[in-house]
Amino acid sequence: MEPSSLLDVAIEAARRAGALLTERFGSPARGVQSKSTPTDPVSDADRDAEALILELIRSRRAGDGVVTEEGAGRDGESEHTWVVDPLDGTVNFLFGIPVWSVSIAVEDRQGAVAGVVFDPNREEIFTAMRGQGALLNDQPIHVSSRRDLSHALVGTGFAYDSRARKIQAGLVSRVLPKVRDIRRSGSAALDLAAVACGRLDAFYEAPMERWDRAAGVLLIREAGGVVTELEAPLGLSPGVVAAGPRVHGALASLVAS
């Protein structure tokens, strides 16, 4: 299957899940449970959006593997694996904050082939195919050309593990005096998309899970940015440093020191 056909499936799945989530947004939450920590929630909205996405993938790509945040994935027989975050920003969603997204990527043995980050609240859909650039609502996007890290607006995020958060807080205190300012939206996928279109100059976070970053990393690379791995505290999953090429090195050195 051509990458464009894979992207078409990802877009359809993201839009369907976004519509379901939009219908639920602002209503009383149902089926809320904790996952890794008491402050790491999952709700019926997450589960139902994931089920909808998986049903569509199974109907179109029965032999592909799937990796999902809520654990309903499967091994595949083909070279392709779908990496799905049905609701990135669950805490925002549950608190009525309209900053959340659907993130879907398709990977082969070389990495991400196609990716989508859909923001239903702004009707913005970020898409990318490997080697073919990145788009926002079908218009080409590019990372920031910022040269000076001290003028850069930098995004980040925080873990649910309180031990990791303590370490991350120390890192923020080191980064903040060296940059223009720091933003934390609560949706890593949207933060990565913001780097891809130049709304943020850079982003760093560790730990991050595969589904948090798969689509966003492809967006940034296809928009001309640089993404490298960032080691996480306490042996947790590594994260990323992502930025325009002119400030990436300085930020990577700062957060790794």
Side-chain angles (χ1 to χ4, degrees), residues 33-41 159-162:
Q33 297 176 323
S34 296
K35 297 190 294 183
S36 62
T37 74
T39 57
D40 179 13
Y160 290 110
D161 187 311
S162 61

Side-chain angles (χ1 to χ4, degrees), residues 1-9 61 79-80 82 106 113-114 129 132:
M1 180 178 276
E2 292 293 323
S4 59
S5 298
L6 294 169
L7 182 62
D8 288 343
V9 175
R61 301 287 301 173
E79 67 172 333
H80 291 108
W82 296 75
V106 194
V113 178
M129 289 187 291
Q132 299 188 44

Side-chain angles (χ1 to χ4, degrees), residues 239-256:
V240 300
V241 182
R246 293 173 174 173
V247 298
H248 178 273
L251 179 61
S253 296
L254 178 60
V255 298

Side-chain angles (χ1 to χ4, degrees), residues 76-195:
E77 301 170 356
S78 78
E79 67 172 333
H80 291 108
T81 299
W82 296 75
V83 184
V84 176
D85 192 341
L87 173 52
D88 186 63
T90 298
V91 172
N92 285 349
F93 185 90
L94 294 175
F95 276 70
I97 300 170
V99 183
W100 43 269
S101 62
V102 181
S103 177
I104 302 174
V106 194
E107 298 178 344
D108 63 14
R109 295 179 181 87
Q110 286 74 51
V113 178
V116 174
V117 174
F118 180 42
D119 179 355
N121 294 290
R122 294 173 61 92
E123 273 297 321
E124 291 186 337
I125 189 156
F126 297 83
T127 60
M129 289 187 291
R130 188 167 62 205
Q132 299 188 44
L135 306 173
L136 166 54
N137 291 347
D138 295 324
Q139 297 301 309
I141 54 175
H142 304 281
V143 296
S144 165
S145 59
R146 188 84 58 200
R147 295 175 178 271
D148 189 339
L149 184 62
S150 68
H151 294 168
L153 187 62
V154 178
T156 194
F158 303 113
Y160 290 110
D161 187 311
S162 61
R163 300 167 302 158
R165 290 168 73 88
K166 183 176 181 179
I167 296 169
Q168 290 169 327
L171 180 56
V172 166
S173 70
R174 187 166 76 241
V175 173
L176 186 56
K178 303 291 187 180
V179 301
R180 179 190 296 271
D181 208 345
I182 289 180
R183 296 288 183 267
R184 189 271 200 272
S185 77
S187 170
L190 287 180
D191 286 340
L192 292 169
V195 174

